[in-house]
Amino acid sequence: MRISRFYCILPSLILVLPFTPASAQGSATIPEIAVPSRPSAPARAPAGPVFAPAPAPTPVLPPVPGTTVPATVPYPPAPSLPSGSVPGMPSTGVPSTEPSARTPSVVVPSVPASAVPGDSLSIEALQRLGLQANGLVRAAAFQVDMAGAGVVGAAAYPNPQVSVIGGPQDPRIPAANPATNTRTVTVSQPIENPFVRRARIGSAEAGVEASRASFDQVRADLAAQLRVRAYELLLRQEIARMEASIRDLMEEVRRRIKVGVDVGETARFELIRADAEVLNAASRQEAAVLNAQRARIALLQLTAGALRPDFTIDASLFDPVNLPPLHELREEVPAVNPDVLRLLAESERSRRRIDQERAMILPSVDILYSNYQDAQYTDNRGGFRVTIPLLYRRRGEIDAAVADSARVRETLEYRRFEIGQLFESAWQALQIAQRRVEMFEGGIIKEAEAALRVAQAAYRLGERPLIEVLDTQRVLRGILADSLQARFDLQAAAAEIDRLRAYYPREQVLE
């Protein structure tokens, strides 16, 4: 998982923070933010416009209990402060130039690949696994098989009917004719109306297309859910790491303030406020860890338990979004959307049903053959039987088929319009998320960093208390969380567009 560069800002806040008096701490150091460079991503060949924001910082965060880290991208160690950073200030107030006086930073050791258990899956591999294991997809596949069996039944010819009648024949006048046995065999073969047969087969074939479109819709929906849930898991894990670093920071701040309170140089009010901040940070960290676990459980549920509980996602919120141009998507979505294709098949099936009901008005013919035998005679007869719909010409069935066809047609027109609007909404959401990402990376984060530097400088000069520095850091933390949410919204909007155009990995999918 590639991690953003500027998300290293918060973990680097876990620094040695003093309380306000310098005499109890040695040098009056304050939190310093180190921004490492973001690791370069491999080049990709985009299929259309690439929504990949400008290079941004990468977070270096400590592991959180209950979360895992991909083996492919270990946590890099936090770098030392750059040469231009502000050194610590001794008790005399004169900036020290000694290297030992610089603000220390916490170095997070790299996680070896062998220490990360479980499977590491890409987004496409996760989608393929879910499409193969999910029970709803398998049930929809069997619906297609059922519709195919319906075509076989619709194309079958009617079976002949055979009746056999026999029994003793006793004469009324015994002297005239002797007693004997009689037997009658009758064979009837219906001759099917070719117009009815053609319409019935066409209706069954349209039902197969409708079932196949429903199957594609189920797969597209599941693939989109898997993609969104995977990125949600990455988002929750990043937030959990951020909250863990904040908790460590607040505990260190409380420890420093407690030292000042013990020596009598800091008011006890500062310690009470620090205790509240520690409890609040611990509560947020616990909630973040539980949210990450919930996102993991959601993925296990969608994949029907096919994933190992300790799986990892080989992806990042910084993955680029590759989509065709807007004009191509506007033409593609209504043409390939599974729901539209299903309604088209339903419309064809309802039209075939109308043809079938109207064709059944024509007379139906049965060919008959009868063989009669008794003691003296053998009688063979042939003929046909015609059923004429004279009194009832199936007006109710025809009207019902016409009304059903109109219903499907109106539903199709509305669904086309609705899907077009859903696509436009998803595209606008994509643009909004992209714009937010650009704003966070281009100006908002820099402004928050500048405000933090000003607050740090004022603290070093004794013009502002440490609490104001922490408040400024809290604002920066909120901005970083919002930027993570914006990146997640970007990936979710792209997943919705792919769902509308039924774009998902079709290889190795149960057909």
Side-chain angles (χ1 to χ4, degrees):
M1 182 194 326
R2 297 188 303 276
I3 305 177
S4 155
R5 179 167 56 92
F6 62 83
Y7 295 114
C8 188
I9 294 174
L10 285 179
S12 63
L13 296 179
I14 310 175
L15 307 174
V16 180
L17 299 180
F19 55 87
T20 306
S23 58
Q25 300 294 330
S27 60
T29 57
I30 61 172
E32 193 70 34
I33 296 179
V35 182
S37 60
R38 177 186 180 185
S40 58
R44 301 188 181 183
V50 180
F51 296 93
T58 306
V60 179
L61 300 170
V64 177
T67 60
T68 56
V69 185
T72 55
V73 183
Y75 294 128
S80 59
L81 290 174
S83 58
S85 59
V86 179
M89 298 186 66
S91 57
T92 58
V94 181
S96 172
T97 57
E98 295 296 327
S100 59
R102 296 184 182 275
T103 304
S105 60
V106 175
V107 178
V108 181
S110 301
V111 180
S114 59
V116 181
D119 300 330
S120 181
L121 300 174
S122 64
I123 299 296
E124 290 187 359
L126 178 65
Q127 289 175 323
R128 292 192 185 97
L129 180 62
L131 292 174
Q132 292 175 358
N134 189 276
L136 296 179
V137 175
R138 293 179 176 273
F142 287 119
Q143 290 287 343
V144 179
D145 295 339
M146 291 173 57
V151 176
V152 176
Y157 290 97
N159 294 318
Q161 298 179 0
V162 180
S163 62
V164 179
I165 301 175
Q169 185 182 46
D170 296 326
R172 297 177 61 187
I173 303 175
N177 295 303
T180 184
N181 292 323
T182 63
R183 184 191 64 187
T184 302
V185 179
T186 303
V187 180
S188 174
Q189 175 62 56
I191 303 300
E192 191 173 17
N193 187 331
F195 301 104
V196 175
R197 175 181 175 81
R198 187 182 306 115
R200 185 177 66 245
I201 295 175
S203 177
E205 291 175 347
V208 173
E209 296 299 325
S211 298
R212 193 177 301 276
S214 298
F215 178 42
D216 292 339
Q217 183 69 64
V218 172
R219 292 192 294 182
D221 291 344
L222 178 61
Q225 291 183 48
L226 287 169
R227 180 175 175 181
V228 172
R229 293 296 184 181
Y231 281 112
E232 181 182 1
L233 175 60
L234 297 177
L235 172 66
R236 300 305 179 189
Q237 288 177 341
E238 292 292 336
I239 293 178
R241 295 186 185 97
M242 184 187 304
E243 296 296 343
S245 67
I246 294 168
R247 178 180 181 179
D248 294 340
L249 170 65
M250 296 312 303
E251 289 178 349
E252 178 66 18
V253 170
R254 182 199 175 282
R255 187 182 66 82
R256 293 287 181 170
I257 293 178
K258 187 175 184 302
V259 174
V261 172
D262 293 339
V263 299
E265 296 186 0
T266 304
R268 182 167 294 276
F269 168 75
E270 297 291 339
L271 180 59
I272 297 175
R273 183 169 182 176
D275 289 336
E277 291 287 347
V278 170
L279 293 176
N280 188 25
S283 175
R284 288 199 311 268
Q285 181 198 5
E286 182 178 359
V289 171
L290 293 177
N291 286 331
Q293 187 64 23
R294 289 180 58 189
R296 180 179 297 274
I297 293 174
L299 281 176
L300 292 173
Q301 176 184 354
L302 291 175
T303 55
L307 286 172
R308 294 176 57 180
D310 54 352
F311 72 93
T312 57
I313 303 298
D314 185 14
S316 170
L317 291 172
F318 291 83
D319 291 342
V321 175
N322 301 328
L323 290 173
L326 178 59
H327 66 277
E328 293 184 8
L329 289 174
R330 283 175 174 168
E331 296 177 358
E332 178 186 3
V333 169
V336 302
N337 183 267
D339 204 16
V340 173
L341 297 180
R342 179 185 62 81
L343 290 173
L344 283 173
E346 292 284 351
S347 178
E348 177 64 17
R349 181 164 63 176
S350 63
R351 187 180 67 82
R352 292 286 187 173
R353 182 188 171 193
I354 295 175
D355 296 340
Q356 179 181 350
E357 295 295 340
R358 287 176 176 173
M360 292 180 70
I361 298 177
L362 300 177
S364 59
V365 180
D366 295 342
I367 296 179
L368 303 176
Y369 169 77
S370 177
N371 175 265
Y372 172 80
Q373 292 184 1
D374 59 17
Q376 298 181 358
Y377 301 99
T378 297
D379 187 9
N380 294 310
R381 295 183 181 184
F384 58 88
R385 180 175 58 221
V386 180
T387 302
I388 302 175
L390 182 61
L391 301 179
Y392 181 64
R393 299 180 60 83
R394 304 187 65 82
R395 175 52 56 188
E397 288 80 357
I398 293 175
D399 290 345
V402 171
D404 184 65
S405 178
R407 176 190 64 83
V408 175
R409 185 171 58 254
E410 292 297 330
T411 305
L412 172 61
E413 293 301 324
Y414 173 76
R415 191 58 179 158
R416 275 178 174 168
F417 172 78
E418 184 181 25
I419 287 175
Q421 297 304 308
L422 288 175
F423 166 72
E424 295 294 338
S425 177
W427 182 265
Q428 293 302 324
L430 182 74
Q431 300 299 316
I432 292 173
Q434 175 65 21
R435 179 57 181 160
R436 289 185 63 199
V437 170
E438 293 174 353
M439 291 175 61
F440 279 118
E441 293 182 353
I444 297 180
I445 294 178
K446 293 181 180 179
E447 292 292 335
E449 292 174 356
L452 180 59
R453 287 193 294 269
V454 171
Q456 290 173 339
Y459 169 75
R460 284 193 297 269
L461 297 176
E463 298 178 356
R464 292 291 186 269
L466 177 62
I467 293 300
E468 290 196 10
V469 178
L470 297 179
D471 289 339
T472 309
Q473 291 172 341
R474 186 179 297 107
V475 171
L476 178 60
R477 179 181 69 240
I479 291 176
L480 296 180
D482 290 341
S483 67
L484 278 174
Q485 184 65 41
R487 289 189 171 277
F488 170 75
D489 294 340
L490 180 67
Q491 298 293 341
E496 175 65 12
I497 293 176
D498 286 342
R499 184 188 72 85
L500 293 174
R501 66 189 187 116
Y503 183 81
Y504 55 90
R506 300 174 184 262
E507 303 85 0
Q508 303 176 0
V509 174
L510 177 64
E511 295 289 353

